[in-house]
Amino acid sequence: MSRRIEELLARGDVEIRGRIAWSSNDARLVSVADRSGAAMEAVYKPRRGEQPLWDFPPGSLYRREVAAYELARALDWPIVPETVLRADGPLGPGMLQRFVDHDPRVHYFVLLDDRPDELRRFAVFDVVANNADRKAGHCLLARADDRVYGIDHGLTFHALPKLRTVIWDFAGEPLTGGERLALERLTRQLDGALGRRLADLLDPDEVVATRSRTVALLHAGALPEPEDGYRSVPWPLV
C-alpha cells in the first residue's frame, strides 16, 4: 500500500484546495489524482514558503521531512505518513505528504496512557532524527486505521545536538529487544541504501551524525534524559 501511495504522491496531478492556517511555514491542503481515478488528500509544503531560521540551512526543511519518512521506513515503523519530493509542485519544489484525518483534540498527552508502546517508538525515532520540535500536536491518531502518526519533521537531522521534545516520559528506560534490532538494522542500512538516499536530502555531515546518534543510542542502551542547561521542551507544548 505504501508504495502505491508514494507513486500517486510522486506522479499524480496536484490541485491546491486551501492553506493550512496553523502552520508556521507555508503548508497547503491539496488533492492528488492520476488518470486511473486514484485520488487522495495530501499536505504540500513548498520550499519557497519556508521561514528562514538561524540554525538550519535555508530551503532545506522540506527535504528533512522526506528524510524523516525514509528513516521511519528503514526502521520498519509506520509512524510517518508517506512523504515524497515534488520538483514540479504548483508553487515550485516541495514535499507532499499523505494527509492524516484526525481529531486535533487528541494528541500525545491524551494518547500516552493508552498507547505507551506506540509512543515509545517516537521517542527512539526522535533521538536518531535529532528532532528539534516534537510538540504533542505532532502525534496524530488517524481515523482511518487507528494508528498514531508523526508529522512536522522539518527541524530534524541537524549535525549538532538539538533534541527538543515533549516525549520525556520514557527517559532513562532501557531499549527493548525490538528497538535494539531495529536500530542495528538501521545502522547497516545507513552504511548502504538508506545512507545513499539520505545523501540526496541532507548535508554529508548530517548523514554521518545520524549514524553516530544511532550507534551512541545502541551503546547507551537506554533512552536519554533531558540535558541540564538546555531547553529540552518545545513551546508551545501542543
Side-chain angles (χ1 to χ4, degrees), residues 181-204:
L181 287 173
L183 292 170
E184 289 166 355
R185 183 174 62 248
L186 179 64
T187 304
R188 295 191 294 271
Q189 293 188 60
L190 283 165
D191 290 331
L194 175 62
R196 291 189 293 273
R197 291 197 297 274
L198 293 183
D200 292 332
L201 301 166
L202 307 170
D203 290 339

Side-chain angles (χ1 to χ4, degrees), residues 216-232:
L217 182 55
L218 277 166
H219 181 72
L223 286 160
E225 304 272 359
E227 291 189 21
D228 292 337
Y230 177 71
R231 183 165 63 88
S232 299

Side-chain angles (χ1 to χ4, degrees), residues 148-160:
V148 181
Y149 291 95
I151 61 166
D152 283 355
H153 295 113
L155 301 186
T156 49
F157 295 103
H158 201 288
L160 299 177

Side-chain angles (χ1 to χ4, degrees), residues 2-4 43 49 60 63 67-68 70 77 86 107 114 116 134 142 152 162 165 197 205-206 216 225 227:
S2 289
R3 289 301 187 186
R4 284 186 287 172
V43 174
S60 71
R63 291 181 174 271
E70 293 288 349
W77 293 350
R86 282 294 295 257
H107 48 68
D114 293 333
R134 173 67 75 194
D152 283 355
K162 293 278 183 181
T165 175
R197 291 197 297 274
D205 61 337
E206 293 172 334
E225 304 272 359
E227 291 189 21

Side-chain angles (χ1 to χ4, degrees), residues 26-228:
D26 188 4
R28 308 293 178 109
L29 180 66
V30 301
S31 59
V32 187
D34 65 16
R35 293 181 181 179
S36 74
M40 65 182 302
E41 291 183 324
V43 174
Y44 168 50
K45 295 184 180 180
R47 179 179 64 192
R48 76 182 196 184
E50 295 179 4
Q51 299 296 319
L53 299 168
W54 69 270
D55 53 347
F56 281 82
S60 71
L61 305 191
Y62 76 106
R63 291 181 174 271
R64 297 170 193 277
E65 297 255 18
V66 180
Y69 172 63
E70 293 288 349
L71 176 63
R73 192 161 65 113
L75 286 164
D76 199 24
W77 293 350
I79 60 174
V80 178
E82 292 83 352
T83 313
V84 304
L85 291 179
R86 282 294 295 257
D88 60 344
L91 298 176
M95 75 83 165
L96 277 183
Q97 183 176 85
R98 174 172 60 85
F99 176 73
V100 177
D101 185 27
H102 66 286
D103 182 344
R105 296 170 298 181
V106 179
H107 48 68
Y108 172 77
F109 295 125
V110 176
L111 294 166
L112 179 59
D113 286 344
D114 293 333
R115 295 174 180 259
D117 293 340
E118 283 183 80
L119 294 171
R120 265 187 65 101
R121 288 186 169 183
F122 287 93
V124 176
F125 173 89
D126 285 345
V127 172
V128 175
N130 198 18
N131 194 346
D133 191 37
R134 173 67 75 194
K135 296 182 175 70
H138 296 168
C139 296
L140 315 180
L141 179 62
R143 287 190 170 108
D145 59 10
D146 198 45
R147 284 181 176 174
V148 181
Y149 291 95
I151 61 166
D152 283 355
H153 295 113
L155 301 186
T156 49
F157 295 103
H158 201 288
L160 299 177
K162 293 278 183 181
L163 183 61
R164 186 173 292 121
T165 175
V166 298
I167 307 179
W168 291 111
D169 300 272
F170 311 101
E173 292 187 6
L175 297 174
T176 66
E179 290 163 352
R180 291 194 66 90
L181 287 173
L183 292 170
E184 289 166 355
R185 183 174 62 248
L186 179 64
T187 304
R188 295 191 294 271
Q189 293 188 60
L190 283 165
D191 290 331
L194 175 62
R196 291 189 293 273
R197 291 197 297 274
L198 293 183
D200 292 332
L201 301 166
L202 307 170
D203 290 339
D205 61 337
E206 293 172 334
V207 180
V208 172
T210 301
R211 189 185 188 283
S212 296
R213 288 190 298 269
T214 306
V215 173
L217 182 55
L218 277 166
H219 181 72
L223 286 160
E225 304 272 359
E227 291 189 21
D228 292 337

